[in-house]
Amino acid sequence: MADALTLRIITPDRIVLDTTAESIRIPGTDGSIGILPRHAAMVAALDPGDLSYVQGGQRRHYFVSGGFAEVREGTIRVVSDAAEQPTDIDLKRATEAAKRARERLRESADRVDHARALLALQRALMRERVSRYG
């Protein structure tokens, strides 16, 4: 594949994915970031969300729980606490996690860490969304 990118998704447990891609889209904290061959070197913080890439003309998806991405010399390294393919996401569990997070957000401010509850809700909703690609 001419001008292919190397994509590596790394979690604390293992290398989840090590492949080539024609283009990659990552969930940056300031919005979605598209990466094509010969992209400038960069490091970006990631929000929980949908990491997608095109391989052989087909778009593929992974849920990533946040972290950061480094682009350098045609290689994109994504480091995240968790990364899941759509078929590996437990939709029932994600839906229950979203429900629990919403309940925590309704509680009194002095009893709940709202930032943590919002992040839990965001992760659960993104897992639900990415699971639909499976």
Side-chain angles (χ1 to χ4, degrees):
M1 191 182 316
D3 282 334
L5 298 160
T6 299
L7 171 60
R8 290 192 184 103
I9 302 175
I10 304 161
T11 65
D13 298 333
R14 64 191 175 102
I15 297 174
V16 174
L17 181 68
D18 188 354
T19 192
T20 57
E22 298 156 26
S23 67
I24 301 166
R25 184 160 293 280
I26 57 177
T29 56
D30 292 328
S32 183
I33 301 169
I35 301 165
L36 295 170
R38 296 183 300 280
H39 194 286
M42 72 170 204
V43 174
L46 301 179
D47 270 347
D50 179 15
L51 178 151
S52 67
Y53 63 98
V54 175
Q55 184 179 59
Q58 294 213 334
R59 183 160 298 277
R60 302 171 193 278
H61 299 267
Y62 272 81
F63 164 78
V64 291
S65 65
F68 71 92
E70 175 195 38
V71 179
R72 187 167 52 115
E73 299 175 1
T75 298
I76 294 80
R77 288 174 194 83
V78 174
V79 179
S80 182
D81 284 337
E84 301 167 90
Q85 292 182 28
T87 55
D88 293 337
I89 294 173
D90 183 340
L91 183 57
K92 181 179 177 188
R93 184 173 166 224
T95 302
E96 289 170 358
K99 181 180 176 185
R100 283 191 308 273
R102 284 185 181 104
E103 289 168 359
R104 281 195 303 268
L105 287 169
R106 286 188 203 104
E107 292 180 11
S108 172
D110 57 335
R111 294 180 41 213
V112 175
D113 181 346
H114 278 268
R116 187 173 168 196
L118 280 171
L119 188 56
L121 179 59
Q122 183 181 15
R123 281 192 309 266
L125 293 174
M126 289 310 301
R127 272 192 173 98
E128 286 180 336
R129 179 177 169 197
V130 172
S131 73
R132 292 185 184 115
Y133 294 113

